[in-house]
Amino acid sequence: MEFALIYIPIQESVRTLLDSSSYTTFDNNSRQIASGKYTSLDEMMLAGLRILAEQEQIYQGRFEELRRELLLGMLEAEQGELLDAASEIEAIRQRLRQRHSGA
């Protein structure tokens, strides 16, 4: 997945525009930079964008997996390969009881 990066220089004067809840975030960012974990706010933001892109890929992968499973289930249902819901639910309950009883 690719994303465009727009460079916007962030100046100290921007801090005055932030509300009080953002001060905590700004201070935390400053500590992250001061600790040496990141060299700049830009680097920290790029790291955050990378994490968001990775999470989006995971989400899309899981979504596609669920979509395939749903289509497979619909195909099986159309072919009459259905399970009895009541007996399946009871089997799940039995497994849960066994797991909770330590058996």
Side-chain angles (χ1 to χ4, degrees):
M1 174 184 290
E2 294 184 27
F3 55 89
L5 176 64
I6 300 172
Y7 178 76
I8 302 172
I10 299 176
Q11 300 174 346
E12 184 68 20
S13 61
V14 172
R15 183 176 183 173
T16 59
L17 299 175
L18 302 174
D19 62 26
S20 60
S21 64
S22 295
Y23 285 129
T24 303
T25 302
F26 185 87
D27 290 340
N28 185 43
N29 293 346
S30 298
R31 282 193 297 273
Q32 295 278 345
I33 294 169
S35 74
K37 186 172 182 177
Y38 301 99
T39 59
S40 67
L41 186 55
D42 290 338
E43 183 182 344
M44 183 185 296
M45 292 180 72
L46 282 173
L49 289 172
R50 281 187 206 103
I51 291 169
L52 288 172
E54 289 171 7
Q55 289 177 344
E56 179 67 18
Q57 284 181 324
I58 291 168
Y59 170 80
Q60 285 298 324
R62 182 64 181 139
F63 179 78
E64 287 302 317
E65 183 181 331
L66 290 172
R67 185 175 173 272
R68 283 190 302 273
E69 290 176 11
L70 177 63
L71 292 174
L72 179 60
M74 290 171 60
L75 179 62
E76 289 173 350
E78 288 173 0
Q79 295 174 353
E81 300 174 19
L82 301 173
L83 298 174
D84 178 47
S87 62
E88 290 300 315
I89 291 171
E90 184 55 34
I92 292 169
R93 287 181 176 150
Q94 284 290 352
R95 286 193 300 270
L96 288 173
R97 284 187 204 112
Q98 289 175 350
R99 196 177 298 164
H100 288 291
S101 69

